[in-house]
Amino acid sequence: ARIARVLDLEASPGMDVTASLALALASHPYLLVLDNVDRVGVAVGEFVGRVQATAPDLHVLATSRTPIGDTAETVLTLAPLAAEGRDAAAVTMFLDRLGSAGRGAAAPMTLSASAPSFADLELAAQVCARLDGLPLALELAAAVARHLSLDELAGRLDHDFATLDRAVPEGRHRTLDTAFDWSWDLLTDEEREVLCRLAALPRTFDVDLAAAVTHPGAEGIVLRLLDHSLLVPAGGRPRRF
């Protein structure tokens, strides 16, 4: 129904909306972008399968923390932005978002025609490294930097992430906590228990250690948490997370 509204297709009683959408999308080699399909992955997979039977030239790009699971799906894993050094992609994004966030002229660093100072770049790099290059965290930090100097922000991030809060937009992108809750709600009780135990480990771990600190047979749950993007590979042999 939401896709139909975007394409200005009116759904009448008894109408097969998916069939109508398939005909509309078959008229050109469209790219259909579906953002944040975590909670409707099964429905999206069924929809795409039906539509592509009529519109074989249709390409679909879906963003999700978890693969949909369709046999025709190609998964592209997006890593955080590189965050090491003053020239890192995370620093570039952070500086750009600082300008968009309306950082005031009274702040220690003002993005104008002149380039940021060396000290400001060092502080920006420190903030980005602390936030692991996560785009949402960088957005939140830039919003907070409207009110705090970069050295104040960096100092607070060394203690916790409570500073990363903003008035708008409401919902799951307001803080890191609300973003995490979105994924937490999609987990089973067993997945939550295993994740909590793994989160208590001080360093990276392999599958054997994960099973040792949780319970025998937890290996499959560990792999599911990787599919949920709540664990990330850290390299090594055997593979560590």
Side-chain angles (χ1 to χ4, degrees), residues 2 7 42 59 67-68 70 77 88 90 96 126 129 145 179 201 225 232:
R2 182 168 298 181
L7 296 180
V42 174
H59 288 78
I68 292 174
D70 189 89
T77 302
D96 175 76
Q126 181 180 338
L201 292 174
L225 290 172
V232 293

Side-chain angles (χ1 to χ4, degrees), residues 39 178-188 191-192 230:
R39 296 178 181 270
T178 55
F180 182 80
D181 286 344
W182 172 269
S183 294
W184 178 262
D185 289 343
L186 296 175
L187 301 179
T188 65
E191 289 167 345
R192 293 173 184 171
L230 289 169

Side-chain angles (χ1 to χ4, degrees), residues 136-210:
L136 175 59
L138 298 175
E139 290 268 3
L140 293 171
V144 170
R146 292 177 58 226
H147 312 296
L148 299 178
S149 65
L150 286 184
D151 56 344
E152 286 178 301
L153 175 59
R156 290 186 175 277
L157 291 179
D158 280 340
H159 297 289
D160 57 48
F161 296 148
T163 307
L164 300 183
D165 201 338
R166 56 183 173 180
V168 291
E170 295 184 0
R172 67 187 182 92
H173 286 156
R174 188 175 66 84
T175 68
L176 292 180
D177 284 344
T178 55
F180 182 80
D181 286 344
W182 172 269
S183 294
W184 178 262
D185 289 343
L186 296 175
L187 301 179
T188 65
D189 289 341
E190 192 174 32
E191 289 167 345
R192 293 173 184 171
E193 180 184 358
V194 169
L195 182 60
C196 285
R197 289 178 177 272
L198 297 178
L201 292 174
R203 297 181 181 86
T204 61
F205 54 89
D206 59 18
V207 173
D208 289 338
L209 178 57

Side-chain angles (χ1 to χ4, degrees), residues 94-134:
F94 180 60
L95 295 178
D96 175 76
R97 301 316 297 159
L98 276 177
S100 300
R103 187 178 173 86
M109 184 183 82
T110 312
L111 295 180
S112 59
S114 60
S117 70
F118 179 85
D120 288 330
L121 282 175
E122 284 292 308
L123 285 169
Q126 181 180 338
V127 168
C128 294
R130 180 70 180 93
L131 297 176
D132 294 332
L134 295 174

Side-chain angles (χ1 to χ4, degrees), residues 3 16-34 43-62 68-74:
I3 299 171
D16 187 339
V17 178
T18 300
S20 299
L21 285 170
L23 290 174
L25 293 170
S27 60
H28 295 283
Y30 284 115
L31 170 65
L32 178 64
V33 181
L34 305 175
V44 166
E46 294 173 351
F47 168 80
V48 171
R50 283 194 60 192
V51 169
Q52 286 186 326
T54 301
D57 292 331
L58 173 68
H59 288 78
V60 180
L61 174 63
I68 292 174
D70 189 89
T71 55
E73 178 182 30
T74 299

